[in-house]
């Protein structure tokens, strides 16, 4: 893959880099750091001062050559958040924040979530979670809900944890 020219290199070659070329170079640097969604990339380029036309052109080029892919981004994000112990609701909130419609993610939610797996994950989290609360049951429930687990999964996990103790 050919490396994009920075402003100085373009000037040295006598070429005049267009705003769209500069936006594309900035986009390449952004996605080199980590995977990004289309909405996030658009927003970042606009914040850097590129025009709407240059930003749109760069994003279209990146989509056509596979540098940007919301499906890939969403799947990676879901897997990362699951590994970090996040629940379904919090992951869905994060998808929304990055401009991803959860209904457009291939296989969502069946391919990523099952009630049994969510319950197992919640139980693992509770084993590591310690509280000094006067009401440990409520504190454990609130902790799980804050991590994005449904109220049903949280209440079952808390009940099972108390039965084991």
């Amino acid at each position: 893959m050919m490396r994009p020219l920075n402003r100085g290199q373009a000037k040295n070659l006598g070429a005049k880099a267009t705003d769209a070329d500069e936006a594309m170079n900035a986009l390449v640097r952004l996605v080199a750091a980590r995977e990004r969604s289309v909405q996030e990339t658009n927003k970042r380029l606009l914040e850097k001062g590129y025009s709407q036309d240059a930003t749109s052109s760069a994003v279209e080029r990146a989509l056509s050559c596979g540098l940007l892919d919301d499906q890939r981004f969403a799947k990676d994000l879901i897997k990362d958040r699951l590994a970090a112990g996040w629940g379904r609701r919090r992951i869905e909130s994060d998808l929304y924040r990055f401009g991803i419609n959860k209904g457009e993610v291939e296989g969502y939610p069946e391919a990523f979530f099952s009630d049994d797996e969510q319950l197992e994950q919640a139980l693992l989290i509770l084993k590591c979670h310690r509280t000094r609360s006067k009401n440990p049951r409520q504190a454990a429930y609130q902790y799980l809900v804050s991590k994005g687990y449904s109220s049903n999964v949280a209440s079952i996990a808390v009940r099972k944890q108390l039965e084991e103790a």
Side-chain angles (χ1 to χ4, degrees):
M1 185 167 119
M2 192 168 152
R3 286 181 51 172
L5 300 176
N6 65 32
R7 291 179 192 178
Q9 291 169 326
K11 286 179 184 175
N12 289 341
L13 294 175
K16 184 166 182 153
T18 65
D19 196 33
D21 291 336
E22 290 179 15
M24 185 64 185
N25 289 340
L27 184 147
V28 169
R29 287 190 299 275
L30 285 171
V31 298
R34 70 171 174 83
E35 189 77 38
R36 296 181 190 272
S37 71
V38 171
Q39 176 182 303
E40 178 188 14
T41 305
N42 232 333
K43 180 181 173 192
R44 293 288 303 265
L45 290 175
L46 290 171
E47 287 172 354
K48 287 179 176 277
Y50 295 102
S51 69
Q52 182 64 52
D53 289 340
T55 299
S56 297
S57 173
V59 167
E60 288 302 317
R61 281 177 59 191
L63 284 168
S64 68
C65 68
L67 279 175
L68 288 177
D69 184 349
D70 276 351
Q71 287 292 318
R72 184 177 63 225
F73 173 81
K75 289 177 182 179
D76 288 348
L77 181 116
I78 292 167
K79 289 176 185 173
D80 289 346
R81 299 309 193 252
L82 284 172
W86 288 24
R88 181 175 171 178
R89 289 184 181 181
R90 190 159 173 200
I91 292 170
E92 288 174 354
S93 173
D94 226 21
L95 287 170
Y96 178 77
R97 185 171 61 92
F98 285 106
I100 307 292
N101 180 350
K102 66 184 181 187
E104 294 176 3
V105 178
E106 290 177 27
Y108 191 86
E110 297 82 17
F112 303 99
F113 302 101
S114 77
D115 288 339
D116 292 338
E117 289 173 352
Q118 287 279 282
L119 182 58
E120 286 176 35
Q121 186 70 28
L123 287 167
L124 285 172
I125 289 172
L126 286 180
K127 284 183 181 179
C128 299
H129 178 69
R130 300 287 178 246
T131 182
R132 294 182 181 177
S133 172
K134 292 180 182 179
N135 188 346
R137 177 186 203 119
Q138 182 64 28
Y141 174 85
Q142 285 295 96
Y143 182 69
L144 288 175
V145 169
S146 75
K147 297 275 284 174
Y149 291 91
S150 69
S151 58
N152 185 40
V153 168
S155 61
I156 293 170
V158 169
R159 189 172 349 121
K160 283 190 175 201
Q161 182 201 33
L162 291 175
E163 287 172 0
E164 292 175 3

